Every structure is written in C-alpha cells, then in structure tokens.
Amino acid sequence: MLGLANRHALLLFLIALSLVPTRSALAEEAASARQEEAEVFVDEVVITEQRLPTAGEDIRAVPSKVTVITAEDIRRSGAKTVQEALMQSTGIIMYNAVGNNFEQTIDLRGFNAQPVPGTTVFVDGVRLNQPDFNQINFDLIPLESIERIEILPGSSAIYGKNALGGVINIITKSGTEQRQATADVAFGSYGRQLYNANTGGPLGKFNYYANFSRELEDGYRDQSSARISRFVGKAGFRPSKATDLAVTYTYVKDRLEQAGSLPLSLAEQTPRANFTPGDFADREDNFVRFNGSQGLPLGFSVTANAFYRRLQQELFTVGQPFLVGGTNTVSRNLTDVESWGGVLQFGHEAAPFGMDNKLVLGGEFTRNDFGGSLLSVSDFGPFRSRSTTDEEIVAAYVQDTLNITSHLLLTGGLRYDRDELDFVDAIDPTKNARKVFDRVTPRAGITYLLAPRTSAYFSYSQGFRVPTNDELFASPPTSNPNLQAVRTNSFELGIKSNIQPWIDVAAALFLIDGSDEIFFVCDVCTGTDGENRNIDKTRRRGVEASLKARPNQFVDAAVNYTFTEAQFKTNFNASATEVVTNGNTLPLVPKNRLSVIGAVHPTKEWTVSLSGLYVSTQFLQNDLANRGPRLQGYFVLNGQVTYDRSVPGGRLRAFFMINNMLDNKYFTQGIFASNNITGGGLREAFVVPAPTITFYGGLSYRFESFPR
C-alpha cells in the first residue's frame, strides 16, 4: 500500500500528465521555434566579490573558480534543502553523520569538518557559523528566501578566519521587483510535506518581502522526523539610486530527530533501524540584520551591516555504554548563543591614468556570548559541566583591483584579525582561561583576458582557523589550551571561457598546504583518553572542471567534476596502535566527484530533466592510518518533470520528482568505533544509510496582478 504522501505525489503526477500537450501541439511549438531562429545564450554571470557588495563583478575577471547558484537554479533543480542546492557543484565535500535529511555536512576542497568545518557561511554579509564549534546549521537558512548562492573556494583572506576551504556567500531576496505573492504545497515519501507562502514588491520608495514555510517529515530512518517552521520579513527603503537600506528578521523553530549511524552488518540488513534511539536537536533562532549602502560623489561609496542573533539549542544524545554490557550513556546539552556586531566598508572606483581601479577597505566587530550546560549519565555515574565564553573579534581589511591594461588585471588584499576568548568554568574556576589569536592574511591574484570571453588567472591567499572553544577549554582532558591557530597557503591556477554564446567552461588546479591542523591523538593511552594536538603538515590538491551548455531552446546540460587528494604530510601517533605516516589520506574525502545534469524542453511549458551524481570511495572517520576498508563509492540518479506556464493573473507550476531512481542502497558516511552493545567492544565500521527511491511532487501558483 502506498503511504499518504506517496498517494499525494502520485495524484500530482497524474494531474501533470493530463496537461501534456498533444503531438500536434508539439509540432506547432517546434515549428514556431524554428521560425524564431533566435540565438540562445548561457546566462551572463556576475558575483559580489567583496565582503559587502557594492556592484557586481564579471565572473571572468575574478581570480578564482567561483560558482553561482541563483534562485531560478534552485527552483529548477528541485532542491529541498540548502545542501541539496549545493551538492552538484565542484569542490563540495558532503556527508550525513546524523541520519536525517536536514543536517548534512557541507565543506569545500578536502576540508571535511573533521573535526571542525573549514568553510565559512555568510548570509547577507553576516557570518553564520556557530562560535562554539564553527558548525553550520543549514536547517536554519530558509531556502525559499535565497536570491543567490556564491561558492568562493580556497583560503579566503578577505572574508576572515576559519575559511580554509572557502566561503559560501548567501544573499537573500528583497521586494524590489514587481509585486507578487506565491503559494506552494508539496508532498513526498516518508511523510514529507512543504507549505510555503511568500509575497513581496515595491511600495513607492519602499519595498517589502515576507516568507513563511512549514516543513514536516517522518524520515526514512526510524526516529528521524523533522518539524521546521521558518519566517522571514524584510523591509527596504530606496529613496534614490544611490541609497539602499534594508532590515531583515528571520525566525526559525525546529525539532530534528537524529537516527545516527549503524553497525555495517545491521545497516546492510535493516537500513532503517536506529541503533541508539532517542537523539534529537531542538533549536530556536532569532536573527535581525540591517544592510545599507550609499553612493557618494567622485566614485566613493559606503556600505554597512549590523546584526543581532540569539540561538537557543538543546541536543539530547543516547550513546553506547562505556562498558560492554553496561547501560547506554545519556547526555543533555543546552546551549545559548547571543551575537551582535557589524561591518563598515568604504569603496572607491576611479580610472587613474586611464586604468580602472576598484578599492574597498573596511572594519568588522563581532561579540559572541555563549554558554552551555551538559549533564551526562553513564556507567561511571553522572558528569556535569557548565561554562560561559565571551568572544570579541576585531578585523580590518583592504582589497584593490587594478586594470593594468584592457587585458591584464591585478588583485591584492590584506586582512588583520584579532580574536579574544574568555572562558569561565562555573563548576571548577581553576579551568578559567583567556586566549588571544591574531593574524595578518594576504591575498593576491592576476587575471589575463585572453579574448573578450576567455580569461586565465593565478591566485595566492592565506587562511587561518582559530581553535574552537571545545578544542581549547570545554572537554578536559581532551581539550588543550596550548593549541596554535591552523594556517593555510592556497594556490590556484585556472581558466574560464564563454567559448560560444551558448557554452561556458571553467577549470582550475588548486593546492592548499596546511600547518598545525588540529586532530585528536593518543600516543600511549586507550579508550577515550588523549588530547587535541596540532599536526605539522597537511596538503590538499586537485582539479575542478565544469561545463554549462545550452545549444538551443530545447536542451541544456551541465557537467561538474572534482578530483581531490587530501593527505597528511607528517608522521604522528593517532593512538597507541595506530601510526599515521606521510602520504596517508584524510578520511571522508572522496577523490572523485562527478555530476551530470541534462534537461529537455519539448515546449515552453514542459521540462524533463535527469541528474546523476557519482562519489568515489572514502576512508572512514577515525581511520587516520588508512588500515580499514573504505566507504564504498555510489551513484545516484534523480529525475524530474516540470510544467510551468503563464495563466491569467499569474503563473502556475507543477512538478514531480523521483530521487534515487535506480533504488541503489548506499552509505553517505562511515566511522570506525567500538561496538559495546552487540559487538563485544570490538571496533567496527558504523555507517549512515541513505534513503532508497523516493517521490516528491508539488504545485505552485504565483499571483502577479494586483489592483492599484
């Protein structure tokens, strides 16, 4: 028997089939297209290649392989989360450690969030990573409110700390276009439901945008349900072309159950099982931000943002017993994060001696106050901790782009960061500590325009990551207050070309040398003892290539390929029996990722698309010495049919998706861990099963005619 959500999806698909045009209608459409003989172009791409954007920059002029994902790209892809919108892009490292559809981990260029994410995410110029462990809660970002996503790979000096793999820059929608209101509803397998409504538009010199969405899911795994409510409200004021002001409020309340990993033997037989049921995350996020820009005479401009954010989170975890045959460990962790700050940036555009020049300089201040309390009950009795941390970040930066000639561009940048953390342990004051990290990071690039639509570039930049609160203070004896900041040197050589108006290609070679990366190591001890330590050297290098083509109005396609080699470049003891040697591969970094996307448009209203993603084998988490079996590679094929047409007063859209069409059984993450419940304490592979074949379909109506 089909479930309720599957019946909804099947009904939507049958409705869509009833709207398929007849053969004669298809013939008339094709004849009309041939008569038009219009030239088809790949969309022109610009990016906001500054800490706070003032104007778009031609993507071919930027010395980096940048990827831009627009709201239209997200809509066409059928992505249901931010991670799904990103997953086909080059450079992405993605896996699911918690076992639900909303908390997949995203990182860039061989930085795999082990132990800490190496990618920084910004929303409207505000850093979204959590200050306690640098994690990114993508479930708190309303997908429906995103205007564009820019993926800026490689160590990013101009954006500041913790961006070792790169930056994901998210810009949200505003109401500066025509007035509209849109309602969406969608249903899918495993109780997936989406209800969404938004409206926006101009009101004289003012503009507005508002969005409310509600998502529900029972989940593929046992106890992996999701309940998410999101609201976004934005008010803008634009009295002139030179002035643009906006204030945005985002509220998110969610509860996500986390099914976690399974022993491999159990996962192969019963992939929907839950080995230690009961885990969940409960979050409430209030996020206010102000953005403004003002054009000034003589090519000057000023932009600014300010923000306040309050995030309250409860994590409840049921873990394995510490002792074989013991009782499960139960932990409840409450976290309260309060952040505020802002950025002030000045810009100047001029043409001294006939050479175009763009200069930006700015300053940033952020204050994070966060505290947490943990109660854990295990075979050894209860353990309690309670602490607070005050963090102050002060930064200044400058970047300049100079057109030496009409073909040659030079880019240079410099940033200074100072990060101070004051840690207070409410139970044991002897653990109180204060740490200060500061660093200057440069950036340099050269771009040569080989032809009007082709450019080659080389860039160099430095990055650094501050040790997190937990790595430094919060988890003795594993914490280590003597940790140094992680440092990287990033090199990139690439080419971009709009070979024909209908085809874009880009390719890049990258090399990132790391120093003092932080890993948990244990020289002579056993069990959970050990401490976080700096490891001398690591290296990531690879190739990224992409192609986007639209030869005519009936077909478009995209191909993205990434080769990544991530290695330790030093020897050290990971445990009493595990020795890591120069050349060992970092776990959870696949060497090969290939995505192919193709779409056919038989008429203006209909689109049929397929997308395939191949991910190669990976070493499991905790297998630093590469001694165990690998997580097997996998291939996923998704399909979608879309009907989209103008109707009186607005626009109607219907879609139907089949994900994992081949019903492949695969695992997206794996870890070596002791099995104290059924394995007698032996270490074995634990994996996180991915959903089998799933269905998803929905309807959307956009109102575009309003009485004046």
Side-chain angles (χ1 to χ4, degrees):
M1 295 291 292
L2 287 172
L4 177 61
N6 283 346
R7 290 199 296 270
H8 281 302
L10 182 58
L11 177 61
L12 291 169
F13 182 59
L14 294 175
I15 292 173
L17 284 179
S18 70
L19 299 173
V20 174
T22 64
R23 182 177 298 180
S24 60
L26 289 172
E28 291 173 4
E29 184 73 22
S32 173
R34 286 194 297 270
Q35 290 174 2
E36 291 177 1
E37 294 182 352
E39 192 170 16
V40 180
F41 292 88
V42 171
D43 295 335
E44 198 71 26
V45 179
V46 296
I47 69 161
T48 52
E49 214 265 327
Q50 301 170 2
R51 179 64 171 81
L52 293 180
T54 54
E57 182 78 48
D58 187 334
I59 197 169
R60 285 180 290 274
V62 178
S64 177
K65 189 186 180 302
V66 180
T67 299
V68 176
I69 302 169
T70 66
E72 180 64 14
D73 294 330
I74 296 172
R75 185 186 67 82
R76 289 177 180 173
S77 72
K80 301 181 290 297
T81 64
V82 177
Q83 297 96 314
E84 289 183 13
L86 296 168
M87 66 184 295
Q88 302 283 356
S89 305
T90 57
I92 291 293
I93 301 293
M94 178 175 177
Y95 62 86
N96 188 341
V98 298
N100 63 44
N101 284 326
F102 296 90
E103 295 184 281
Q104 299 101 321
T105 297
I106 289 283
D107 233 318
L108 291 169
R109 287 194 171 175
F111 291 88
N112 60 356
Q114 298 300 318
V116 173
T119 296
T120 299
V121 175
F122 289 87
V123 174
D124 291 337
V126 179
R127 189 186 308 269
L128 202 70
N129 300 59
Q130 292 306 112
D132 54 351
F133 208 65
N134 204 45
Q135 71 268 30
I136 308 156
N137 296 320
F138 284 104
D139 53 291
L140 301 179
I141 305 174
L143 180 69
E144 299 80 12
S145 68
I146 294 176
E147 178 63 34
R148 61 195 281 120
I149 303 173
E150 299 171 349
I151 304 175
L152 312 170
S155 302
S156 184
I158 205 67
Y159 280 89
K161 68 168 191 170
N162 299 346
L164 305 180
V167 167
I168 297 174
N169 189 33
I170 297 174
I171 300 164
T172 62
K173 295 177 180 177
S174 61
T176 56
E177 300 177 355
Q178 70 183 88
R179 295 172 64 189
Q180 64 83 30
T182 302
D184 305 273
V185 61
F187 303 93
S189 302
Y190 308 115
R192 187 70 179 251
Q193 302 173 52
L194 168 67
Y195 307 93
N196 178 69
N198 68 72
T199 183
L203 290 173
K205 295 180 179 180
F206 293 88
N207 59 79
Y208 68 95
Y209 176 81
N211 184 91
F212 172 78
S213 63
R214 173 74 168 165
E215 287 190 81
L216 307 170
E217 183 176 279
D218 297 331
Y220 169 67
R221 303 275 305 284
D222 294 342
Q223 296 191 28
S224 61
S225 66
R227 303 289 184 268
I228 306 175
S229 298
R230 304 185 182 102
F231 171 77
V232 178
K234 178 181 286 190
F237 178 56
R238 195 165 191 176
S240 67
K241 291 183 179 180
T243 305
D244 193 1
L245 307 173
V247 61
T248 307
Y249 170 67
T250 301
Y251 173 81
V252 181
K253 180 74 171 75
D254 67 13
R255 180 184 174 91
L256 306 175
E257 292 187 326
Q258 302 172 331
S261 59
L262 296 171
L264 179 59
S265 57
L266 177 60
E268 291 175 335
Q269 300 298 321
T270 316
R272 299 183 64 176
N274 191 322
F275 196 55
T276 52
D279 295 9
F280 69 84
D282 195 318
R283 303 183 180 98
E284 183 175 37
D285 189 27
N286 288 272
F287 188 12
V288 181
R289 52 195 182 275
F290 165 82
N291 290 78
S293 64
Q294 176 66 55
L296 302 172
L298 303 176
F300 288 93
S301 64
V302 58
T303 55
N305 75 7
F307 75 95
Y308 171 81
R309 187 182 184 200
R310 176 82 179 275
L311 173 63
Q312 295 169 294
Q313 175 177 272
E314 177 184 0
L315 294 178
F316 188 84
T317 305
V318 179
Q320 292 191 57
F322 279 115
L323 303 176
V324 175
T327 58
N328 285 15
T329 300
V330 178
S331 300
R332 183 171 183 257
N333 194 341
L334 301 177
T335 305
D336 192 342
V337 181
E338 192 171 23
S339 303
W340 59 275
V343 176
L344 181 63
Q345 176 181 290
F346 295 93
H348 184 241
E349 295 188 24
F353 308 106
M355 298 183 294
D356 290 340
N357 189 75
K358 294 182 180 179
L359 173 69
V360 295
L361 56 92
E364 177 181 354
F365 175 81
T366 300
R367 169 84 181 198
N368 296 312
D369 298 310
F370 53 98
S373 62
L374 170 68
L375 172 60
S376 179
V377 180
S378 70
D379 298 315
F380 299 106
F383 170 79
R384 292 180 175 85
S385 68
R386 190 167 72 251
S387 64
T388 59
T389 303
D390 299 331
E391 180 182 30
E392 286 191 358
I393 303 168
V394 179
Y397 61 90
V398 60
Q399 179 171 285
D400 189 76
T401 300
L402 176 65
N403 290 49
I404 299 294
T405 70
S406 59
H407 294 279
L408 185 63
L409 293 80
L410 298 180
T411 300
L414 199 68
R415 180 180 172 108
Y416 170 76
D417 280 271
R418 184 181 188 275
D419 193 340
E420 178 180 337
L421 299 105
D422 287 292
F423 174 79
V424 176
D425 191 306
I427 296 177
D428 185 359
T430 63
K431 298 174 183 175
N432 295 353
R434 174 179 175 270
K435 291 286 291 186
V436 177
F437 299 90
D438 62 339
R439 189 162 182 83
V440 175
T441 49
R443 179 195 186 195
I446 181 170
T447 303
Y448 187 77
L449 302 179
L450 301 169
R453 294 177 177 175
T454 302
S455 65
Y457 65 88
F458 174 77
S459 66
Y460 166 76
S461 62
Q462 291 184 0
F464 84 111
R465 178 176 80 80
V466 172
T468 67
N469 183 74
D470 285 357
E471 290 171 324
L472 288 166
F473 313 119
S475 303
T478 61
S479 58
N480 181 1
N482 297 315
L483 288 172
Q484 302 298 310
V486 182
R487 307 181 308 280
T488 58
N489 289 280
S490 181
F491 305 84
E492 184 174 338
L493 175 67
I495 188 169
K496 310 169 191 176
S497 180
N498 188 206
I499 299 174
Q500 296 290 333
W502 53 271
I503 183 169
D504 263 331
V505 297
L509 303 172
F510 68 88
L511 171 68
I512 304 176
D513 281 331
S515 302
D516 288 332
E517 283 205 55
I518 300 170
F519 289 89
F520 176 83
V521 300
C522 181
D523 287 334
V524 296
C525 52
T526 59
T528 58
D529 297 331
E531 69 174 358
N532 299 309
R533 295 185 192 171
N534 293 112
I535 304 303
D536 289 343
K537 296 179 181 179
T538 56
R539 171 171 289 175
R540 281 93 169 165
R541 60 184 177 183
V543 179
E544 296 172 354
S546 59
L547 179 148
K548 185 177 182 181
R550 192 178 184 189
N552 54 54
Q553 61 265 47
F554 299 111
V555 178
D556 61 71
V559 179
N560 296 302
Y561 172 71
T562 304
F563 171 81
T564 307
E565 185 178 70
Q567 294 180 325
F568 295 103
K569 303 303 290 184
T570 189
N571 303 328
F572 65 95
N573 293 333
S575 70
T577 60
E578 188 176 23
V579 178
V580 177
T581 59
N582 187 334
N584 281 155
T585 296
L586 274 71
L588 295 182
V589 180
K591 282 194 173 182
N592 297 283
R593 291 182 92 253
L594 172 67
S595 72
V596 180
I597 307 166
V600 177
H601 315 277
T603 72
K604 291 182 179 179
E605 290 85 11
W606 285 93
T607 299
V608 180
S609 61
L610 288 174
S611 64
L613 176 65
Y614 167 74
V615 179
S616 66
T617 61
Q618 307 161 56
F619 287 104
L620 273 62
Q621 182 182 345
N622 290 345
D623 186 15
L624 303 185
N626 302 166
R627 297 186 304 177
R630 303 188 189 192
L631 189 70
Q632 291 301 305
Y634 59 87
F635 174 74
V636 182
L637 182 67
N638 302 328
Q640 180 172 278
V641 178
T642 304
Y643 178 78
D644 192 342
R645 67 169 296 173
S646 295
V647 295
R651 193 165 193 89
L652 174 67
R653 179 176 182 267
F655 74 93
F656 182 78
M657 298 178 62
I658 305 177
N659 291 334
N660 194 4
M661 296 174 64
L662 304 179
D663 201 23
N664 287 335
K665 295 176 175 58
Y666 64 98
F667 310 117
T668 62
Q669 195 261 1
I671 181 173
F672 270 122
S674 298
N675 185 343
N676 291 336
I677 297 179
T678 62
L682 297 177
R683 279 179 50 129
E684 61 178 284
F686 282 69
V687 294
V688 179
T692 52
I693 185 170
T694 58
F695 304 92
Y696 190 61
L699 293 170
S700 173
Y701 186 81
R702 178 184 174 99
F703 301 87
E704 296 177 339
S705 296
F706 292 85
R708 296 288 180 182

